[in-house]
Every structure is written in structure tokens, then in C-alpha cells.
Amino acid sequence: MAVIQVNKFSGVSPMTPPRYLGNEAAQTALNCPVWMGSLQSIRGASEITSPAPLTKSGNIKSIYRFDQAETDEKKNWFHWTADVDVVQGFIAGDTTERTYYTGDGNPKVTNNALALSGGGTDYPIASYDLGVPKPTGTFTTAKTTTVLTGSINPAPFAGTDSDLTGSIDPTASVDVVGVNTLFTTELAVGDTILVSSLIRIVDTITDDTHLAVTVAFTDVANDAAPEKASKQVVGVNTLFTTELAVGNSILVSSETRVVETITDNTHLTVTVPFTDVANDTSPVITPNLSNTTAETRVYTFTYVNSWDEESTPYAETDMTPSTEDVYPGESVVLTMPAAPSGSFNVTKKRIYRSATGTTNTSYFFVAEVAVAVTSYTDSKAGDELNEVLPSLTWVQPPSTLKGLVGMANGVMVGFSGNDVYFSEPFRPFAWPVQYMQTVGWPVVGIGVIDTTVVVLTKGRPYFIQGSHPDSMVMIEADVNQACLSKRSIVSMGNYVFYTSPDGLVALAPGGSSVVTQSMFDKYTWQALNPADMVGCMYENKYIGFFDTSSGNGGFVYDMVAKTWNFHNLYATGAYNDLKNDALYIIKDNELWKWDTGAVLSYTWKSKKFTFAEPKSFSCYRVQAEAYPVTVKIYRDAASIVSLAVTDDALRRLPPGLGTDWEFQLEGNTEVYNVQIAQSPTELNAG
């Protein structure tokens, strides 16, 4: 005797011939959560209206619920007609919900002020391009001397010049001969003498009529009125004690002298007297080239936006126009470009200059100015600088960056072509080029498992692992499965799921597999058009949507029970809202909420029970929590019963023999047992 009994209802395996399915498996499992054990219905989706949240025209593909403080699920939905990836920023102290996205032109950033203001509901209303642009344009420097306060009168040298006795014949030699002079009584070694407009310092004195000077006179005419020149200088309204120091050089009426002593604000002496020149109303400090060393400075500057995000510095191939050899007392005037063009919120410039150490050269902060300021004079001494330039490598991401994802360590990741890019941790505006890694195939999309980046390509997938972008290590995954659909990528649990040519893949560093390999072969899988699939996560299950030439729909893969069933809902995009523990889908360009609508009608068809010889089954029973349930029974593919049963009573089958027996259940109430027997006794025996 034989009894067909099914008291646990599982999913489908399309590649398996119906007669080789397990007793619990189905040929058809539509709209039924087969992971529950008994046969039940899933709930449909309910439309979000009053007002409709998605207002952009066109075929909407991407949605994101912004404003986590908003409790009304109908409000503040970002939506696009393109494939857009969105990540909320990990920004310390941010109260504006700064949010980053790629796929809508240049990589962008917005916040609650930009996204929600400006009128309308086509959110986000406004945004900035991501990052702070590198300064370009003409950037030059020029040295300038420091003008002293007041004026200086270098003659008559405070009235202390004195005439020497007799005359001096300054031949072209350091030796000097005097006529009727009194060198020994009127001069001393180190004194300065003025002879025929030439100033020389006394080196030795032999006698009253013979001496030597440190530098030879030229062969000039006899001077009948030589003088002992004074080193004293008188200032008018000057500030010698605060503006000068011993060793500084001053330029007065085209003559440069070194300061020897400073008596007070209006009196000083110089090492070599000035000649008798006119009063100078604009004296300046100049370099003392013989007693000081120039500091070679390279200047640069950065742009800074209103969020205090800083660009990489200005850096032309040839930095000569912004390089100066600066002596003490000199200032440097910088001429900079104005604000950059483009959609950026740049508000300031920060100026830096180099300071050479023993092992390397760093740039130190000099000043911050408004972005509109184009000129700045730097007169700071080196010991006033201590803040090092932080943004030397903080470049913008490439304009073609897409696939944006966020990691638990504050790093954002995206791709362009074969290249995978990483941001600075917790600085999503900065994308150092040296962090970039290149894979062997064009990248399709990216998933994340903790601090592991899963790179899905048109060839082999890769894992890039590490706690910081500067130490990431790339390894090849353990499966050779290309990714067909970027929108199928779902990071869920310790896996990243995606569609490949052979099936749905679950990728993980600890072991990867094609999870549908026991359900689908290549041909049954390709019939679902995996290149256009959309995937999302809901309650630890992979929810998929497909569109084929024969129709559209979707499926649910339970990663725990490892079951697969279909549903007849189709969506062009989805968003899993963790705050509300809800899955929102795009259906007919409107927003719907998954698993909140009316209970759907299921269809579950059993395997084909095949016997070695024809058998006649005479009765059947359907046990359910509620009725009616439509039952269809097939004998050798011919329908022999199609009935809406209303209770669990034994029912008779039309007489006849058959080798292949199947049954199908339709309804929306829970069924927990189906029996088909050759006799009532067998049926009642259960």
C-alpha cells in the first residue's frame, strides 16, 4: 500500500526534475514563506501616499530615507532616476546629518540645510561636490623690506664729526701719508676717517704722519680737510629700541650700514659711518648679507570650506614663483588666486611655508584669510610657527567615483574602472592617491564585511583587508564568479551576496560559494535575467527582483534555511531602513512598504510522486488552520480534482490508475498537512 503525505513545505529547485525533488520540495512555491515549515502566505506591500514621497519624473531607481530625526515615513525621501549609492558620514560633532553619495554626476555631499531647503520635494534639493578643490592658478611671492618709523638724519652725525689736522694724500694703497698731521694724538685704531668722500677704518698708526687702513684708498686727489667720521645716527620720531636690534642692517639714502649699538628710540651707532647725505624720511631694514644667512622658504596655501575641511596644498611642477631667500628684517608678500570655481563651499585660505629640519622639510601654518583675499604679507619669524600642514595628500576623489560604501573604521570606499579608492578615516572629503588599489578586472560594485572590502568585478572577486587604508592587503577570493549586476550586491551578515553567471554567490573571507548551485543550473538561472537583478536585505533574507521577457517578479532566499521561493511583486529599487526595521521598494515609480499590505494568495505545487507501477489513490485530506483552500490533484499530468475544500474531512478521488501523482495548493490560510491514500484506513492511520 502507498500514502503520499507532506507536512512540511519547502522551496523550489528549478534545475531538478520534478520526480527527483525531495518530498518537502516544490515545483512551484509562489508567495509563501517556505522557511516557516507550514504553508503560509507572505504579505504584500502597501503604498505610501498622502502625499506621495517620490516626486521626480522618470524611472526612479534609487531611494534613501534622509533625516533620521523625522518620524513620519512619508517625508524627506532622497530619490534618483540613476543608480546612486548613499552613505551617512561618520563626522564627529556633526548635527546636520552630512550625507555623501555617488552616481549622480560628480561625487556629492549634502546635509539637512542643503537637502531639504529651496522649495519642492525633489530631494535632495541641493548639494556640494565632494571634497575641497586643490588650488590652481597664479601664485607668486615677492620680498619686501620693513620700513622704519619716522626719519633718520645721518649728517652731521649728531655733531660729533671732527676735522683732522693737516692733510692726507690717499694713494692707491693701504698706506697713508699725512702732511702736518697728528695721527697719534687725534686717531686710534678702529676709528673711521673720511678722505675725499671715501670712508676707511684705521688699521695701524706708525707715527703722526703715517698710518695704514684696512681697505686701500683709490688714487684720488690730496684732501686738505680730512675728517674723523662719527658712527652716531639721530632719528626723528623713530622707534629704534622696538624696531631694530644690534646686527640689523639699515638702508638710509641708498647707503647700507649695520647697527652696532642702540642708545634709545632716537639714537644709535653704526659700524661704519654714513657719508654726509640728506635726511631720509623712509629708512628701511635690509639684510646684513655678511653677518646673516638667508632662509629659503617655499610658500603654499590651501582652500578650506565652511565645515573646516581642508584641501591638498597648491603645488605646481615649478614652485620657483613661490620660493624666496629671506633674510632677517625682510617680509614676503604673497599674491594668490581668488575663490575656486565649481560647486564648493570654500570660505577661507590657509597659508603655509616650509621650514627645513635635519631630515625632512615640513610646511607650517602662517595665517588664515578669507577666500576673497588675494594678498598677504608674511613678517612672522620662524619661532612663531608650530602647526604642521595636515592635508598634504588630501585630494578630492575622482569625478567618476561610484559605488560608495562606508566601513566601521570610518573609511569610505568607492571605485572607478579597475581602481578602488579609500578616504582618510573619518574624513570623507579626503581621498589620498597612495591609498588606491588596482584589481585585475573592471569593478562592478563593492560590498563590506566589517573592515574587509569585497570588490566584485567582471572577473574574479577580491578581498581588501585592513584597519587603515595605508596598510590594506588585497587577496583574491576563493571563487571565480564575475558579478553581473551592481544592484544585486547586498552586504548581509558575514557575507556579501551578488548575482553571477552561475547563480547567487555568498562571498566571505572564511569561505565562499554559489548558494544556489543545488537549485539552479546555468540555464534555469539565466532565465531569470540575473544581469538586471535588484537585491536587498530584509530580516536576514535576500529579497530579489527580476525582469524577464516572460514577465517580472521576485524571490526570497533564506540564508539560514537555504530555501528559495518566488513572489509576484516587482520593484525597480529598494531601501532597508534599519531605524524603522522596514524595507521600502519602488513600484511603478511610487514608494511602497514591504510586508505591510494584504495577505497574498500563494501557490505551492508538490514534487512529482512517481511509482514503479500504476497506482490508484482513492481519497485525500487537507488539514489547515482555516478554510477554504483550493486543492488541485494531477494523475499522469491530467487534472482529476480542482476543489475549494472547506474542512479537513476525507474526500474521495475519481477512480483510475496513474504512475505520476502531484498536487497543488492555492489560498492564503495556513496548511500544515496533506495526505493522499489508497484507502480511508491508510488515510486515518496518518
Side-chain angles (χ1 to χ4, degrees):
M1 304 299 286
V3 175
I4 296 173
Q5 179 170 344
V6 176
N7 54 23
K8 185 176 181 181
F9 300 83
S10 189
V12 297
S13 176
M15 76 172 189
T16 306
R19 59 172 46 87
Y20 295 118
L21 292 169
N23 282 2
E24 300 171 353
Q27 295 183 63
T28 302
L30 179 67
N31 295 335
C32 44
V34 293
W35 56 89
M36 302 293 290
S38 62
L39 180 59
Q40 302 179 36
S41 290
I42 64 172
R43 303 184 72 87
S46 58
E47 186 175 2
I48 306 297
T49 58
S50 303
L54 309 184
T55 55
K56 290 180 181 176
S57 60
N59 295 321
I60 298 171
K61 291 184 177 180
S62 305
I63 53 176
Y64 174 82
R65 187 164 182 265
F66 184 73
D67 191 2
Q68 296 302 307
E70 177 57 62
T71 57
D72 187 345
E73 67 179 358
K74 297 186 290 292
K75 292 183 177 180
N76 304 338
W77 280 92
F78 289 2
H79 53 292
W80 298 270
T81 57
D83 176 20
V84 175
D85 297 285
V86 188
V87 180
Q88 184 175 341
F90 300 165
I91 311 296
D94 175 45
T95 59
T96 66
E97 200 170 327
R98 214 173 301 168
T99 301
Y100 301 79
Y101 57 97
T102 59
D104 183 27
N106 293 336
K108 292 180 173 63
V109 56
T110 191
N111 63 7
N112 51 23
L114 293 167
L116 305 180
S117 301
T121 55
D122 288 351
Y123 303 127
I125 301 297
S127 63
Y128 293 120
D129 285 349
L130 177 56
V132 187
K134 174 184 175 181
T136 59
T138 302
F139 176 48
T140 60
T141 57
K143 291 192 296 184
T144 181
T145 51
T146 302
V147 179
L148 297 171
T149 303
S151 62
I152 289 179
N153 186 4
F157 307 111
T160 58
D161 278 14
S162 57
D163 294 333
L164 295 174
T165 301
S167 63
I168 289 178
D169 185 7
T171 57
S173 169
V174 294
D175 294 323
V176 176
V177 176
V179 178
N180 297 321
T181 51
L182 297 172
F183 289 162
T184 57
T185 57
E186 294 182 347
L187 291 173
V189 172
D191 281 348
T192 305
I193 57 175
L194 176 63
V195 179
S196 300
S197 300
L198 296 177
I199 293 177
R200 296 293 185 266
I201 299 173
V202 176
D203 189 44
T204 61
I205 301 174
T206 305
D207 52 39
D208 271 348
T209 59
H210 295 84
L211 60 77
V213 290
T214 55
V215 178
F217 282 101
T218 58
D219 191 2
V220 294
N222 179 58
D223 190 341
E227 295 175 303
K228 177 182 177 181
S230 171
K231 300 176 182 178
Q232 293 188 6
V233 176
V234 175
V236 178
N237 296 323
T238 51
L239 297 172
F240 288 159
T241 57
T242 57
E243 294 182 343
L244 290 173
V246 172
N248 284 163
S249 293
I250 55 175
L251 175 65
V252 179
S253 299
S254 301
E255 291 187 354
T256 300
R257 297 293 185 266
V258 179
V259 176
E260 186 174 55
T261 63
I262 299 175
T263 304
D264 53 40
N265 268 340
T266 57
H267 295 84
L268 58 78
T269 63
V270 290
T271 55
V272 176
F274 285 100
T275 57
D276 191 0
V277 293
N279 180 59
D280 191 338
T281 58
S282 300
V284 297
I285 300 175
T286 63
N288 183 346
L289 302 183
S290 61
N291 295 329
T292 58
T293 302
E295 175 191 6
T296 300
R297 298 178 186 171
V298 180
Y299 283 88
T300 189
F301 74 100
T302 63
Y303 286 131
V304 181
N305 65 19
S306 61
W307 298 326
D308 209 40
E309 298 173 341
E310 190 165 5
S311 75
T312 190
Y314 175 95
E316 296 293 341
T317 303
D318 182 5
M319 294 293 286
T320 301
S322 59
T323 302
E324 297 290 346
D325 291 332
V326 183
Y327 289 88
E330 290 185 316
S331 299
V332 179
V333 178
L334 291 76
T335 303
M336 300 168 284
S341 60
S343 180
F344 305 102
N345 58 335
V346 173
T347 58
K348 296 175 286 188
K349 298 170 187 168
R350 286 181 185 156
I351 299 166
Y352 296 85
R353 80 183 195 213
S354 63
T356 304
T358 56
T359 57
N360 60 2
T361 298
S362 298
Y363 287 92
F364 288 86
F365 174 75
V366 175
E368 183 176 272
V369 298
V371 71
V373 173
T374 58
S375 180
Y376 176 81
T377 300
D378 174 26
S379 56
K380 290 186 176 181
D383 57 6
E384 296 182 67
L385 311 180
N386 52 38
E387 182 181 340
V388 178
L389 168 70
S391 62
L392 193 61
T393 62
W394 292 358
V395 298
Q396 287 181 273
S399 61
T400 53
L401 189 80
K402 55 186 177 180
L404 191 68
V405 296
M407 299 175 67
N409 55 4
V411 176
M412 288 195 184
V413 189
F415 71 90
S416 177
N418 288 42
D419 302 323
V420 181
Y421 292 84
F422 298 84
S423 77
E424 281 284 352
F426 304 102
R427 288 186 172 93
F429 63 91
W431 296 72
V433 175
Q434 67 267 29
Y435 293 166
M436 181 191 74
Q437 299 216 27
T438 301
V439 298
W441 299 82
V443 180
V444 176
I446 294 174
V448 171
I449 304 171
D450 193 26
T451 56
T452 297
V453 179
V454 182
V455 183
L456 292 318
T457 76
K458 292 183 178 180
R460 191 183 185 102
Y462 298 84
F463 298 120
I464 303 179
Q465 302 166 314
S467 59
H468 193 281
D470 64 3
S471 57
M472 290 285 196
V473 176
M474 181 169 63
I475 60 174
E476 291 183 332
D478 52 346
V479 293
N480 282 317
Q481 292 290 329
C483 179
L484 292 183
S485 170
K486 174 182 175 296
R487 304 182 73 212
S488 73
I489 300 171
V490 176
S491 300
M492 184 167 60
N494 293 319
Y495 294 91
V496 171
F497 290 84
Y498 68 96
T499 58
S500 78
D502 294 327
L504 185 67
V505 178
L507 209 62
S512 308
S513 64
V514 180
V515 296
T516 55
Q517 62 185 351
S518 63
M519 307 172 192
F520 292 85
D521 58 20
K522 185 173 182 177
Y523 304 100
T524 53
W525 174 250
Q526 291 287 338
L528 297 179
N529 190 20
D532 194 43
M533 277 187 183
V534 176
C536 53
M537 177 183 69
Y538 180 67
E539 301 293 354
N540 290 318
K541 296 173 180 61
Y542 186 101
I543 312 295
F545 304 95
F546 57 83
D547 186 11
T548 70
S549 58
S550 58
N552 56 39
F555 60 87
V556 179
Y557 172 72
D558 186 296
M559 59 185 296
V560 177
K562 298 186 179 350
T563 58
W564 184 287
N565 66 283
F566 290 95
H567 58 77
N568 57 10
L569 296 174
Y570 176 66
T572 56
Y575 173 72
N576 191 309
D577 187 353
L578 297 179
K579 178 185 176 183
N580 288 338
D581 191 25
L583 175 65
Y584 296 90
I585 63 173
I586 307 165
K587 183 175 179 290
D588 299 324
N589 288 329
E590 301 293 344
L591 187 68
W592 295 66
K593 190 175 182 179
W594 181 265
D595 197 27
T596 58
V599 173
L600 299 180
S601 178
Y602 57 71
T603 299
W604 192 93
K605 187 174 185 179
S606 73
K607 68 168 287 183
K608 184 179 289 186
F609 294 89
T610 300
F611 299 93
E613 56 186 28
K615 292 189 180 295
S616 175
F617 289 92
S618 66
C619 54
Y620 68 97
R621 173 185 288 130
V622 176
Q623 293 179 294
E625 293 292 343
Y627 297 90
V629 176
T630 297
V631 181
K632 296 179 180 180
I633 300 176
Y634 303 88
R635 181 174 61 209
D636 291 338
S639 175
I640 60 172
V641 170
S642 181
L643 179 68
V645 300
T646 56
D647 55 41
D648 63 352
L650 179 150
R651 287 178 168 78
R652 291 289 182 177
L653 288 170
L657 293 170
T659 303
D660 296 327
W661 291 81
E662 307 160 86
F663 68 88
Q664 180 171 299
L665 303 175
E666 299 172 3
N668 56 21
T669 62
E670 182 181 0
V671 176
Y672 57 87
N673 191 29
V674 175
Q675 297 168 290
I676 302 176
Q678 291 184 293
S679 68
T681 302
E682 290 177 327
L683 197 69
N684 292 328

